[in-house]
Short mmCIF file of all heavy atoms in Angstrom, two decimals:
data_model
loop_
_atom_site.label_atom_id
_atom_site.label_comp_id
_atom_site.label_asym_id
_atom_site.label_seq_id
_atom_site.Cartn_x
_atom_site.Cartn_y
_atom_site.Cartn_z
N ALA A 244 -16.34 19.85 2.53
CA ALA A 244 -15.24 19.30 3.31
C ALA A 244 -15.74 18.31 4.35
O ALA A 244 -15.12 17.30 4.64
CB ALA A 244 -14.45 20.41 3.99
N ASP A 245 -16.94 18.63 4.91
CA ASP A 245 -17.52 17.71 5.89
C ASP A 245 -17.87 16.38 5.26
O ASP A 245 -17.75 15.33 5.87
CB ASP A 245 -18.78 18.32 6.51
CG ASP A 245 -18.44 19.51 7.39
OD1 ASP A 245 -17.28 19.60 7.82
OD2 ASP A 245 -19.33 20.35 7.62
N ILE A 246 -18.35 16.42 4.01
CA ILE A 246 -18.73 15.19 3.32
C ILE A 246 -17.50 14.36 3.02
O ILE A 246 -17.53 13.14 3.06
CB ILE A 246 -19.49 15.52 2.02
CG1 ILE A 246 -20.81 16.24 2.38
CG2 ILE A 246 -19.77 14.27 1.23
CD1 ILE A 246 -21.58 16.70 1.16
N ARG A 247 -16.39 15.04 2.71
CA ARG A 247 -15.18 14.32 2.35
C ARG A 247 -14.42 13.80 3.57
O ARG A 247 -13.41 13.16 3.44
CB ARG A 247 -14.23 15.23 1.54
CG ARG A 247 -14.78 15.63 0.19
CD ARG A 247 -13.69 16.28 -0.65
NE ARG A 247 -14.20 16.76 -1.91
CZ ARG A 247 -14.52 18.02 -2.16
NH1 ARG A 247 -14.37 18.92 -1.21
NH2 ARG A 247 -14.98 18.39 -3.33
N THR A 248 -14.92 14.11 4.75
CA THR A 248 -14.26 13.65 5.96
C THR A 248 -14.90 12.36 6.41
O THR A 248 -16.11 12.27 6.52
CB THR A 248 -14.38 14.70 7.08
OG1 THR A 248 -13.77 15.90 6.62
CG2 THR A 248 -13.68 14.21 8.34
N GLY A 249 -14.07 11.36 6.69
CA GLY A 249 -14.58 10.05 7.10
C GLY A 249 -15.11 10.09 8.52
O GLY A 249 -15.08 11.11 9.21
N GLU A 250 -15.66 8.96 9.00
CA GLU A 250 -16.17 8.86 10.35
C GLU A 250 -15.03 9.10 11.32
O GLU A 250 -13.89 8.74 11.10
CB GLU A 250 -16.76 7.46 10.58
CG GLU A 250 -17.88 7.10 9.60
CD GLU A 250 -17.35 6.43 8.34
OE1 GLU A 250 -16.17 6.67 8.01
OE2 GLU A 250 -18.11 5.71 7.69
N GLY A 251 -15.40 9.66 12.46
CA GLY A 251 -14.40 9.93 13.47
C GLY A 251 -13.55 11.13 13.16
O GLY A 251 -12.56 11.40 13.82
N GLY A 252 -13.93 11.90 12.09
CA GLY A 252 -13.20 13.10 11.76
C GLY A 252 -11.90 12.88 11.04
O GLY A 252 -11.07 13.77 11.01
N LYS A 253 -11.68 11.72 10.44
CA LYS A 253 -10.43 11.45 9.72
C LYS A 253 -10.62 11.76 8.25
O LYS A 253 -11.41 11.12 7.56
CB LYS A 253 -10.02 9.98 9.90
CG LYS A 253 -8.62 9.69 9.39
CD LYS A 253 -8.18 8.30 9.79
CE LYS A 253 -6.73 8.06 9.39
NZ LYS A 253 -6.25 6.72 9.80
N PRO A 254 -9.91 12.74 7.71
CA PRO A 254 -10.10 13.13 6.31
C PRO A 254 -9.66 12.03 5.35
O PRO A 254 -8.78 11.21 5.67
CB PRO A 254 -9.21 14.38 6.17
CG PRO A 254 -8.91 14.82 7.55
CD PRO A 254 -8.95 13.59 8.40
N ASP A 255 -10.26 12.02 4.16
CA ASP A 255 -9.89 11.04 3.15
C ASP A 255 -8.42 11.16 2.77
O ASP A 255 -7.76 10.16 2.50
CB ASP A 255 -10.77 11.22 1.91
CG ASP A 255 -12.21 10.82 2.16
OD1 ASP A 255 -12.47 10.21 3.23
OD2 ASP A 255 -13.08 11.09 1.31
N ARG A 256 -7.93 12.40 2.74
CA ARG A 256 -6.53 12.62 2.37
C ARG A 256 -5.59 11.90 3.33
O ARG A 256 -4.57 11.33 2.92
CB ARG A 256 -6.22 14.11 2.36
CG ARG A 256 -4.79 14.44 1.96
CD ARG A 256 -4.55 15.94 1.99
NE ARG A 256 -5.41 16.64 1.05
CZ ARG A 256 -5.44 17.96 0.91
NH1 ARG A 256 -4.65 18.72 1.66
NH2 ARG A 256 -6.25 18.52 0.03
N SER A 257 -5.93 11.91 4.62
CA SER A 257 -5.11 11.23 5.61
C SER A 257 -5.14 9.72 5.43
O SER A 257 -4.11 9.04 5.55
CB SER A 257 -5.59 11.59 7.02
OG SER A 257 -4.83 10.92 7.99
N VAL A 258 -6.32 9.19 5.11
CA VAL A 258 -6.44 7.75 4.88
C VAL A 258 -5.63 7.33 3.66
O VAL A 258 -4.91 6.33 3.69
CB VAL A 258 -7.93 7.35 4.69
CG1 VAL A 258 -8.05 5.87 4.38
CG2 VAL A 258 -8.74 7.71 5.92
N VAL A 259 -5.73 8.12 2.58
CA VAL A 259 -4.99 7.80 1.36
C VAL A 259 -3.49 7.88 1.60
O VAL A 259 -2.72 7.02 1.12
CB VAL A 259 -5.41 8.75 0.22
CG1 VAL A 259 -4.52 8.58 -1.00
CG2 VAL A 259 -6.86 8.51 -0.17
N ARG A 260 -3.06 8.88 2.35
CA ARG A 260 -1.63 9.03 2.64
C ARG A 260 -1.09 7.82 3.39
O ARG A 260 -0.04 7.27 3.05
CB ARG A 260 -1.41 10.30 3.45
CG ARG A 260 0.06 10.58 3.81
CD ARG A 260 0.13 11.60 4.91
NE ARG A 260 -0.53 11.12 6.12
CZ ARG A 260 -1.11 11.91 7.02
NH1 ARG A 260 -1.12 13.22 6.85
NH2 ARG A 260 -1.69 11.39 8.09
N ASP A 261 -1.81 7.39 4.42
CA ASP A 261 -1.36 6.25 5.21
C ASP A 261 -1.36 4.97 4.37
O ASP A 261 -0.45 4.15 4.47
CB ASP A 261 -2.26 6.06 6.42
CG ASP A 261 -2.17 7.23 7.39
OD1 ASP A 261 -1.18 8.00 7.30
OD2 ASP A 261 -3.08 7.38 8.24
N ALA A 262 -2.40 4.81 3.56
CA ALA A 262 -2.50 3.60 2.74
C ALA A 262 -1.39 3.54 1.69
O ALA A 262 -0.81 2.48 1.45
CB ALA A 262 -3.87 3.55 2.06
N LEU A 263 -1.10 4.67 1.07
CA LEU A 263 -0.01 4.70 0.09
C LEU A 263 1.34 4.43 0.75
O LEU A 263 2.21 3.78 0.15
CB LEU A 263 0.02 6.06 -0.61
CG LEU A 263 -1.06 6.31 -1.66
CD1 LEU A 263 -0.95 7.73 -2.21
CD2 LEU A 263 -0.95 5.30 -2.81
N GLY A 264 1.52 4.93 1.97
CA GLY A 264 2.77 4.68 2.68
C GLY A 264 3.00 3.19 2.90
O GLY A 264 4.10 2.69 2.69
N VAL A 265 1.94 2.48 3.28
CA VAL A 265 2.05 1.04 3.48
C VAL A 265 2.26 0.33 2.14
O VAL A 265 3.13 -0.55 2.02
CB VAL A 265 0.79 0.49 4.17
CG1 VAL A 265 0.82 -1.04 4.23
CG2 VAL A 265 0.66 1.07 5.57
N GLY A 266 1.50 0.71 1.13
CA GLY A 266 1.61 0.06 -0.17
C GLY A 266 2.98 0.20 -0.79
O GLY A 266 3.54 -0.76 -1.33
N ILE A 267 3.55 1.39 -0.69
CA ILE A 267 4.87 1.62 -1.28
C ILE A 267 5.96 0.91 -0.49
O ILE A 267 6.85 0.27 -1.06
CB ILE A 267 5.15 3.13 -1.37
CG1 ILE A 267 4.18 3.80 -2.37
CG2 ILE A 267 6.59 3.40 -1.79
CD1 ILE A 267 4.26 5.31 -2.40
N ALA A 268 5.90 1.02 0.84
CA ALA A 268 6.94 0.42 1.68
C ALA A 268 7.01 -1.09 1.49
O ALA A 268 8.09 -1.68 1.34
CB ALA A 268 6.70 0.76 3.15
N VAL A 269 5.84 -1.74 1.50
CA VAL A 269 5.82 -3.20 1.36
C VAL A 269 6.00 -3.62 -0.09
O VAL A 269 6.62 -4.65 -0.37
CB VAL A 269 4.50 -3.76 1.93
CG1 VAL A 269 4.46 -5.28 1.79
CG2 VAL A 269 4.35 -3.37 3.39
N GLY A 270 5.49 -2.82 -1.01
CA GLY A 270 5.60 -3.17 -2.42
C GLY A 270 7.04 -3.28 -2.90
O GLY A 270 7.35 -4.08 -3.79
N LEU A 271 7.92 -2.50 -2.30
CA LEU A 271 9.34 -2.54 -2.70
C LEU A 271 9.99 -3.88 -2.38
O LEU A 271 10.99 -4.25 -3.01
CB LEU A 271 10.11 -1.41 -2.01
CG LEU A 271 9.76 0.01 -2.47
CD1 LEU A 271 10.51 1.03 -1.63
CD2 LEU A 271 10.07 0.20 -3.95
N SER A 272 9.43 -4.61 -1.41
CA SER A 272 10.02 -5.92 -1.08
C SER A 272 9.77 -6.95 -2.16
O SER A 272 10.31 -8.06 -2.09
CB SER A 272 9.47 -6.43 0.26
OG SER A 272 8.06 -6.59 0.19
N GLY A 273 8.99 -6.59 -3.18
CA GLY A 273 8.83 -7.47 -4.33
C GLY A 273 10.15 -7.70 -5.06
O GLY A 273 10.32 -8.73 -5.73
N PHE A 274 11.08 -6.75 -4.94
CA PHE A 274 12.42 -6.95 -5.50
C PHE A 274 13.06 -8.22 -4.92
O PHE A 274 13.62 -9.04 -5.65
CB PHE A 274 13.32 -5.75 -5.17
CG PHE A 274 13.13 -4.58 -6.08
CD1 PHE A 274 12.62 -3.39 -5.59
CD2 PHE A 274 13.48 -4.66 -7.42
CE1 PHE A 274 12.46 -2.30 -6.43
CE2 PHE A 274 13.32 -3.57 -8.26
CZ PHE A 274 12.80 -2.38 -7.76
#
């Protein structure tokens, strides 16, 4: 779990969640 945690104590899961939120929200404006 320590290895999977990014610098500053931010887990990879949190980074992926935030990134997907931005990608989906903005991607819909392609309509």
